[in-house]
Amino acid sequence: AASEFMSIVSMSSSLLSFTSAPGPKCFLKGTVFTSPTGMKVPVEFLEAGSLVRGSHEQVLRVMHAQCFEADDKQPVDVVELTAGSASITVTASHNIVMSNHLPLQAADVSEGDQVLVTGHVPTVVSSVRHFCAACDVFRVTFHPDEAVEAFLQPDLQILSTGQAAERH
């Protein structure tokens, strides 16, 4: 089933990349994954044995999940990527799946590059924003070590209401 959110496809923390951004390959607190049943699961709730849906609908088992807590003295290098309506915010060293199906660290992705988004659709990166932040990050290792879709929930949401009950 297709997700209602478009996501840039990224790789598990254990996959090696040939670039050199320092630090752990991590997801930010609030990043959401899809479980095999379709439920959305924040990274903070993943632990060894948890199951998530990979980008090809396969089941991936969390082998290891570790939180690195925010440290004001050592902010984390973070990259926000936007491609079409998809976006992802991860640590600079996190692997992103490019249109050639090879990983590239987020720090090395540039505007104009093509990444894979939901459905493995090659999409041009329209925006890359680098910044430092004191934020909790989570290193997660999956088995098998396959691509996964994830997205960062916005901190602010537009409020709405349900349908009012009819008065008789």
Side-chain angles (χ1 to χ4, degrees):
S3 171
E4 62 273 359
F5 297 97
M6 292 294 288
S7 175
I8 294 175
V9 179
S10 71
M11 299 295 288
S12 171
S13 298
S14 65
L15 188 68
L16 295 176
S17 177
F18 298 105
T19 54
S20 59
K25 297 166 176 39
C26 293
F27 296 99
L28 274 61
K29 181 178 181 177
T31 299
V32 177
F33 298 85
T34 304
S35 76
T37 63
M39 290 184 56
K40 303 302 182 202
V41 181
V43 68
E44 308 79 287
F45 294 104
L46 294 180
E47 57 187 25
S50 296
L51 302 176
V52 300
R53 186 185 304 157
S55 64
H56 286 291
E57 304 291 321
Q58 75 279 36
V59 175
L60 307 178
R61 180 176 303 279
V62 173
M63 301 306 292
H64 180 78
Q66 179 180 5
C67 177
F68 295 88
E69 293 185 358
D71 182 350
D72 290 335
K73 294 182 178 89
Q74 280 195 306
V76 177
D77 290 329
V78 177
V79 178
E80 178 185 65
L81 302 172
T82 303
S85 62
S87 67
I88 193 167
T89 305
V90 292
T91 59
S93 59
H94 194 86
N95 289 321
I96 302 298
V97 182
M98 306 305 290
S99 61
N100 62 3
H101 298 271
L102 295 176
L104 184 65
Q105 287 187 344
D108 297 325
V109 176
S110 301
E111 287 183 16
D113 287 349
Q114 285 196 355
V115 296
L116 294 182
V117 302
T118 300
H120 286 255
V121 176
T123 305
V124 174
V125 174
S126 58
S127 171
V128 177
R129 185 169 72 101
H130 296 260
F131 59 99
C132 289
C135 56
D136 291 350
V137 296
F138 294 79
R139 178 170 38 202
V140 182
T141 305
F142 302 108
H143 180 77
D145 192 10
E146 299 289 339
V148 65
E149 296 174 0
F151 61 93
L152 187 61
Q153 282 276 124
D155 288 334
L156 300 175
Q157 303 286 330
I158 296 173
L159 303 180
S160 67
T161 65
Q163 178 66 40
E166 291 185 26
R167 294 184 184 181
H168 297 282

